[in-house]
Amino acid sequence: MSDSEPDNDLLDFLRQHFSKASIASVPETKVLEGAEYVYHNSIDVALDSQSTIAAAAMIYEQMQKKQYSTKTWQSHDFHPQALDASTVDFIFTMDLLNFSFWSENDEEERFAIEYQGKRCTGYKSLVAALQRALEEGIPITSSDFWQSEDECTIDVLRHVFRSATAEEIPLLRERFDCLQEAGEVLYEKYQCSFTKCIEAANHSAAALVNLLAENFTCFNDVFPYENRKNVRFLKRAQICVADLWAAFDGKGYGEFHDIDGLTIFADYRVPQILNSLGCLWYSPLLQSAVNQKKVIESGHSWELQIRGCSIWCVELIRREILRKHPDANINAILIDFFLYDLMKEREAAGQEDIPHHRTRSIWY
């Protein structure tokens, strides 16, 4: 064989080697990578380094004081307590429908669910509505139910989400479509069970996030930004995995060896609290739009900057906490849970001095 001729045996060996290496590669969601790109190319949202460092110290101190952990998840009103497949089904249903609860109406007039003597709004209204439906014998968490054109209708879903006020739940039709699509995908690919999706991910949080985004269009939260065609936010896909991890305390259906690789879930409340803490700064035009509660269209540059910079900001907070406290048992998920609860506490106490941005979409 001359020097100019290819060594086919060597080429075959290399092909097999790199093919195996590719198969064995660690899954990545690429959410953090996209968020960093948005941050570096953002002109309307900026991060304040000193406020971020101060926020990291406050967050760590408060999380230690409140003993924040996965167990905090089960302490929330109406979250399921059973450590079995019924909770898996509940969480999947919940995160299929976990989006867009904000209202332009006053607190007394906005969409709300009355359940067990409490009036619930926002995310809690979703959890309460699902629990109420199950008590009424409506199998709202069953994919078999979602597939039945006779049983699962838009009117049935309207009944499930019947409000204590005159305002209907936002995007009811879109929620109905999410359930129908999920039912079809589970039937065609996963033996009608979300537990099969979890098994397919082989205890990888990133793999399960990617599986959700690739197989269910309603989880594929991806947008073009500047010169990048696909910036992945994957809010609901990530929070679905995080909810499993928290509900099962990192065991059984919630066991993921790479859970610390997930980011925060870019929505309304985390940007709001980061803005309140001085970590996120908005351009005058954007700040004015937020203060006036103007609707920002889904996919608008402002919205993508808010979401991307929020993810990157909390990543810097996480790194700062671990720099000061290397042994801290902390990740972006727990920081997200804490910041969300903190903002809701401030809201309940009338300390919501800065509004959240308004974007109506299925992504959050």
Side-chain angles (χ1 to χ4, degrees):
M1 182 176 72
S2 68
D3 292 340
S4 61
E5 291 179 303
D7 185 337
N8 291 321
D9 290 336
L10 177 60
L11 289 174
D12 287 340
F13 170 79
L14 291 173
R15 288 191 189 100
Q16 292 176 14
H17 172 76
F18 286 111
S19 175
K20 290 177 181 178
S22 176
I23 293 171
S25 63
V26 178
E28 293 182 15
T29 68
K30 299 188 182 297
V31 172
L32 189 61
E33 176 187 313
E36 184 178 13
Y37 175 84
V38 172
Y39 163 70
H40 285 301
N41 292 275
S42 179
I43 58 175
D44 292 290
V45 182
L47 271 58
D48 182 273
S49 59
Q50 292 304 311
S51 294
T52 300
I53 292 171
M58 179 275 292
I59 290 167
Y60 177 76
E61 179 185 352
Q62 290 298 314
M63 290 182 73
Q64 293 300 303
K65 187 179 296 184
K66 295 181 178 181
Q67 297 183 321
Y68 231 80
S69 71
T70 54
K71 292 180 173 58
T72 307
W73 192 92
Q74 288 191 333
S75 69
H76 282 246
D77 287 346
F78 314 134
H79 274 176
Q81 304 296 307
L83 300 180
D84 56 26
S86 69
T87 292
V88 172
D89 292 340
F90 190 98
I91 288 172
F92 184 56
T93 308
M94 182 176 74
D95 288 318
L96 276 170
L97 304 173
N98 184 10
F99 54 83
S100 199
F101 298 100
W102 62 268
S103 173
E104 295 178 350
N105 292 335
D106 294 334
E107 189 66 24
E108 295 302 313
E109 298 177 343
R110 66 178 295 187
F111 166 76
I113 296 292
E114 286 189 352
Y115 178 64
Q116 292 189 355
K118 294 184 179 181
R119 176 171 285 205
C120 305
T121 59
Y123 164 74
K124 287 185 178 180
S125 69
L126 167 64
V127 184
L130 296 181
Q131 293 286 19
R132 183 177 66 180
L134 291 174
E135 287 183 6
E136 293 174 345
I138 302 171
I140 189 62
T141 61
S142 166
S143 68
D144 290 338
F145 174 70
W146 308 336
Q147 293 170 57
S148 173
E149 294 181 0
D150 295 330
E151 295 181 33
C152 185
T153 65
I154 190 72
D155 288 334
V156 169
L157 197 63
R158 184 173 287 109
H159 173 77
V160 168
F161 288 107
R162 64 190 183 277
S163 178
T165 70
E167 184 179 39
E168 185 176 79
I169 188 170
L171 304 182
L172 179 67
R173 169 57 65 175
E174 286 79 358
R175 295 176 204 275
F176 180 68
D177 293 342
C178 286
L179 291 180
Q180 283 200 317
E181 183 209 17
E184 291 173 4
V185 174
L186 291 181
Y187 172 77
E188 293 171 0
K189 298 183 178 182
Y190 297 103
Q191 302 172 46
C192 298
S193 175
F194 183 57
T195 60
K196 298 299 180 182
C197 296
I198 299 173
E199 292 171 9
N202 196 26
H203 300 296
S204 168
L208 185 51
V209 168
N210 291 339
L211 181 152
L212 287 168
E214 290 163 8
N215 290 276
F216 302 83
T217 58
C218 67
F219 280 112
N220 194 27
D221 180 12
V222 179
F223 288 90
Y225 180 75
E226 296 294 331
N227 294 321
R228 192 164 183 147
K229 292 182 178 179
N230 296 303
V231 174
R232 294 161 66 85
F233 296 95
L234 307 182
K235 186 268 184 184
R236 289 193 298 109
Q238 286 200 107
I239 203 170
C240 182
V241 178
D243 282 340
L244 288 167
W245 173 69
F248 289 90
D249 196 23
K251 304 179 184 68
Y253 292 119
E255 180 185 348
F256 301 104
H257 59 76
D258 56 349
I259 194 67
D260 291 346
L262 299 194
T263 71
I264 63 155
F265 323 118
D267 57 6
Y268 310 103
R269 293 304 186 177
V270 172
Q272 183 185 22
I273 189 66
L274 292 174
N275 191 211
S276 298
L277 295 172
C279 300
L280 284 189
W281 284 81
Y282 298 161
S283 68
L285 199 58
L286 173 55
Q287 189 69 65
S288 176
V290 172
N291 289 345
Q292 294 178 48
K293 301 181 180 180
K294 292 183 177 179
V295 174
I296 301 172
E297 292 299 317
S298 178
H300 189 285
S301 175
W302 283 352
E303 185 223 11
L304 302 182
Q305 289 177 65
I306 290 173
R307 299 182 76 199
C309 289
S310 296
I311 294 171
W312 188 246
C313 182
V314 172
E315 172 62 14
L316 296 182
I317 289 173
R318 185 191 70 84
R319 293 179 185 182
E320 175 64 16
I321 291 174
L322 291 176
R323 186 181 72 83
K324 291 283 187 66
H325 310 279
D327 297 328
N329 186 19
I330 199 166
N331 57 27
I333 296 170
L334 292 175
I335 295 173
D336 182 288
F337 287 169
F338 171 80
L339 289 174
Y340 177 87
D341 288 345
L342 177 62
M343 192 64 247
K344 295 299 288 185
E345 288 172 8
R346 289 192 174 194
E347 180 187 33
Q351 299 171 348
E352 190 182 19
D353 51 352
I354 299 174
H356 63 75
H357 72 282
R358 261 67 173 172
T359 297
R360 186 72 76 193
S361 77
I362 71 166
W363 307 119
Y364 59 98

